Amino acid sequence: DLIHDPRGEGVVARAYFWDAARQALAGVVSFGPRAESHRGLCHGGAMTSLMDDVCGHACFLAGNAPWCGATVQVNCKLTKPVRVGDVLRVDGRVARREESKSGSGRAKLFVSARLVGEDGSVVGMGTFSANQLGLFPSLFALLGKLLGT
């Protein structure tokens, strides 16, 4: 797993912290040598993947049922190089949720992300959208009815 590398050689999400009132997730992260592009700098794809990961976790936590979904659009801007070994903060926030009109439990979530350096400067930002597929929420609702819970 690129983002949760237990050996610390790739991207390491050390901890995530959920703020339900703000629908926001913050994390402490670092980049190991497997996230290197060249000359000791992190690969832009690793930085983008990290922001996608925090957004996916924010979607999961903001949901009202088990998450079954996928990122469908990514738009990122990387503003400063990040050195391998740097420790950063990643933030993701659910900005908007559009429920399906069909009543299927499907929804589209819009999430923003930022990657912030130790000095407080923003080194990357992005907007992500994800589709909640509705499969597991429907399945769990059915199981709940069958079990009488």
Side-chain angles (χ1 to χ4, degrees), residues 122-142:
V122 176
V123 299
M125 62 193 85
T127 56
F128 299 75
S129 59
N131 285 344
Q132 183 173 11
L133 302 177
L135 173 65
F136 287 133
S138 300
L139 178 61
F140 279 88
L142 175 62

Side-chain angles (χ1 to χ4, degrees), residues 31-148:
F31 295 91
R34 290 186 55 212
E36 183 178 1
S37 176
H38 59 89
R39 298 183 191 161
L41 299 177
C42 293
H43 192 283
M47 295 164 64
T48 301
S49 293
L50 170 64
M51 288 188 281
D52 181 46
D53 185 71
V54 79
C55 288
H57 282 281
C59 287
F60 174 80
L61 292 165
N64 52 8
W67 177 256
C68 178
T71 302
V72 295
Q73 186 171 3
V74 174
N75 182 12
C76 283
K77 179 179 181 181
L78 305 175
T79 56
K80 290 185 174 182
V82 172
R83 292 215 156 284
V84 169
D86 284 357
V87 176
L88 301 109
R89 187 181 81 229
V90 63
D91 299 309
R93 188 179 71 78
V94 177
R96 187 169 95 243
R97 179 184 180 98
E98 293 178 359
E99 300 293 336
S100 170
K101 292 178 176 52
S102 70
S104 65
R106 293 176 184 245
K108 188 169 205 170
L109 284 81
F110 299 86
V111 185
S112 62
R114 293 182 329 149
L115 191 55
V116 182
E118 288 184 66
D119 64 357
S121 64
V122 176
V123 299
M125 62 193 85
T127 56
F128 299 75
S129 59
N131 285 344
Q132 183 173 11
L133 302 177
L135 173 65
F136 287 133
S138 300
L139 178 61
F140 279 88
L142 175 62
L143 285 173
K145 287 180 185 177
L146 292 172
L147 296 173

